[in-house]
């Protein structure tokens, strides 16, 4: 039985969901420090100009507490708040519609994903778990998962896949190509967010993920 340790992400990349779908038990890291420039608050989609970054603005510790940035204090992922003064949800929703409204399955999932971009979320982690719930419900995934209660640097009883939260994680992923909306214009773009796969492959997404392999 393979047990994995992984991060909840903002509609994480395909590689992360390959790991999730093929695991027997999943533990989500709930106790680590927040790190910038990861899939915690960003995802990549395929728009008419190619690969597009969508980033969720966050409130940094210094802005919340008044402490200087030099204080060297880390902020826990679960404590990170979203900066809702920016209309990021409206921007991301418009980008998703512009990029995927002609995809085969966007309209099929549109009503279910719509609330995520029209309801206010205070904490980034809560929003990311809501994104995960949307994917598991859409694909009818019934996998066994837990949330960690303490941070362990080197877990001995689980396969540590927390590196998948980094855009430049050290793993090999020879991803099989699938049809993408702008593929004829820019070619196949690998390892985009799970929404790119879902909107293009629909119910076939699960079997596609099960057929892929990650090598570390």
């Amino acid at each position: 039985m393979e047990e994995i340790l992984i991060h909840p992400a903002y509609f994480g990349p395909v590689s992360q969901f390959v790991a999730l779908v093929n695991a027997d038990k999943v533990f989500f890291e709930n106790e680590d420090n927040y790190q910038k420039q990861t899939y915690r608050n960003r995802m990549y989609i395929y728009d008419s100009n190619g690969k597009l970054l969508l980033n969720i603005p966050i409130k940094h510790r210094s802005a919340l507490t008044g402490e200087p940035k030099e204080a060297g204090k880390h902020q826990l992922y679960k404590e990170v708040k979203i900066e809702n003064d920016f209309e990021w949800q409206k921007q991301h929703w418009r980008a998703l519609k512009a990029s995927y409204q002609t995809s085969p399955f966007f309209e099929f999932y549109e009503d279910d994903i719509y609330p995520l971009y029209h309801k206010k979320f205070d904490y980034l982690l809560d929003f990311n778990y809501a994104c995960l719930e949307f994917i598991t419900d859409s694909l009818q995934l019934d996998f066994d998962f837990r949330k960690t209660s303490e941070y362990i640097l080197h877990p001995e009883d689980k396969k540590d896949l927390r590196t998948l939260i980094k855009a430049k994680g050290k793993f090999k992923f020879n991803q099989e190509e699938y049809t993408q909306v702008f593929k004829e214009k820019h070619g196949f773009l690998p390892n985009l967010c799970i929404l790119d796969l879902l909107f293009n492959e629909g119910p076939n997404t699960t079997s596609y993920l099960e057929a892929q392999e990650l090598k570390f």
Side-chain angles (χ1 to χ4, degrees), residues 63-194:
L64 294 171
T65 65
E67 296 177 350
K69 293 183 179 180
E70 304 81 66
K73 293 184 178 180
H74 296 290
Q75 188 173 10
L76 292 176
Y77 183 8
K78 65 184 180 182
E79 295 176 348
V80 172
K81 287 191 172 183
I82 298 173
E83 180 52 87
N84 285 307
D85 287 343
F86 297 102
E87 294 186 331
W88 67 273
Q89 286 173 297
K90 182 183 294 186
Q91 294 171 359
H92 289 200
W93 180 244
R94 287 175 177 172
L96 287 172
K97 289 206 69 170
S99 297
Y100 295 108
Q101 60 187 353
T102 61
S103 65
F105 294 98
F106 178 79
E107 288 188 357
F108 184 79
Y109 298 109
E110 183 177 3
D111 288 345
D112 291 327
I113 195 174
Y114 180 91
L116 289 174
Y117 291 95
H118 295 82
K119 171 188 173 182
K120 181 182 176 182
F121 288 83
D122 291 321
Y123 289 91
L124 177 63
L125 193 57
D126 291 340
F127 178 72
N128 287 348
Y129 276 122
C131 293
L132 178 68
E133 184 178 3
F134 165 77
I135 296 297
T136 55
D137 287 348
S138 297
L139 299 179
Q140 297 182 334
L141 295 177
D142 185 22
F143 60 86
D144 186 10
F145 79 90
R146 308 276 199 281
K147 298 178 183 179
T148 61
S149 57
E150 62 177 329
Y151 180 76
I152 299 176
L153 182 60
H154 299 294
E156 297 180 357
D157 57 343
K158 304 174 187 64
K159 188 174 183 179
D160 190 351
L161 300 184
R162 289 175 292 187
T163 185
L164 291 176
I165 200 68
K166 301 177 181 178
K168 296 182 180 180
K170 296 180 180 180
F171 62 92
K172 292 182 180 180
F173 184 29
N174 296 320
Q175 185 180 355
E176 178 185 348
E177 292 189 12
Y178 57 89
T179 300
Q180 294 173 316
V181 177
F182 302 104
K183 186 177 179 181
E184 292 186 4
K185 186 176 181 180
H186 300 290
F188 178 72
L189 296 183
N191 209 26
L192 297 179
C193 71
I194 188 63

